[in-house]
Amino acid sequence: TTEIYTLSLHDALPISQLLCSCMAEVEEDTSMRQRKAPTTAGSKLTILTYNAGLLRFQLLGPCGLGGTVFSNPPCVPERFPHLAAALLSSGADIIALQEVYEPVHVAALAAAVAGTYPHSASRHTGGCLNFTNGLMYVSKFPLTDVAVLRHKQSAGVEKCLGSKCLLAATVSTPVGELRLIGCHLTAGGGLSPEAVDACRETELAEAVELGAQAEAAGLVPIILGDMNMGGLEHCGGTAVIDDMPTSAL
């Protein structure tokens, strides 16, 4: 699933009411004018979040070696060659990706889109027996202060085979200096519905805490990614953009 959101300078909306619809608009307030990035009235920034679905387990583990034992969704080799063209056709200024696990996919995708998105960021946190976090950004604007935060709590399967994290990066844009907080929250992994919700709440709380720290530093925080839950929310001054199925809007 894919969702595209546009951020623009607007005189009517304060940042605390950032997400009243799928088109999120940021007011150029006093704090915004103090930020490093230049702002121009009417400027817009389009952000895409997309779960690439490149999860596959191979004979020698998830590090990209050997024949495929399992993939979800299927047909990774057939789908991947079309991913770069699809992202380039989106028209987005910044793209947050989930489930890009293998180093060869990260490198190939960054190279394929570099003409339009010369800046990319990802951080490997896994090993040969467990998956990395799968989070990645490609951007028209420089990405700085890239950092990962491993979630303190994860579902059982994800804890054994994954390394669930947040991927944060600062980006200076025409609408202000943003702190992106990318995530892929738990889908369950065998937990009861109540336990899934509790686990997801702790993961999201960690993202919101990073957002609060960014806001205190004078940045505009945006939490975005595949949250495995429906809807668009805001937490104080932090925008929350979910990779929600278009049919749900």
Side-chain angles (χ1 to χ4, degrees), residues 51-57 68-76 79 99 101 131 184 187:
N51 186 324
L54 300 179
L55 173 68
R56 63 179 177 177
F57 195 88
T68 299
V69 176
F70 167 82
S71 65
N72 183 29
C75 304
V76 170
R79 289 186 290 108
E99 296 199 14
Y101 294 105
F131 290 92
H184 187 184

Side-chain angles (χ1 to χ4, degrees), residues 201-227:
E201 283 184 14
T202 65
E203 293 173 337
L204 186 56
E206 291 166 349
V208 171
E209 174 60 26
L210 284 187
Q213 294 172 11
E215 189 175 27
L219 306 175
V220 177
I222 299 179
I223 299 171
L224 70 171
D226 185 348
M227 299 179 193

Side-chain angles (χ1 to χ4, degrees), residues 130-152:
N130 64 320
F131 290 92
T132 187
N133 57 78
L135 303 174
M136 180 179 180
Y137 296 117
V138 295
S139 172
K140 294 179 179 179
F141 310 103
L143 297 160
T144 61
D145 298 325
V146 180
V148 290
L149 174 69
R150 190 182 293 266
H151 289 303
K152 295 178 181 178

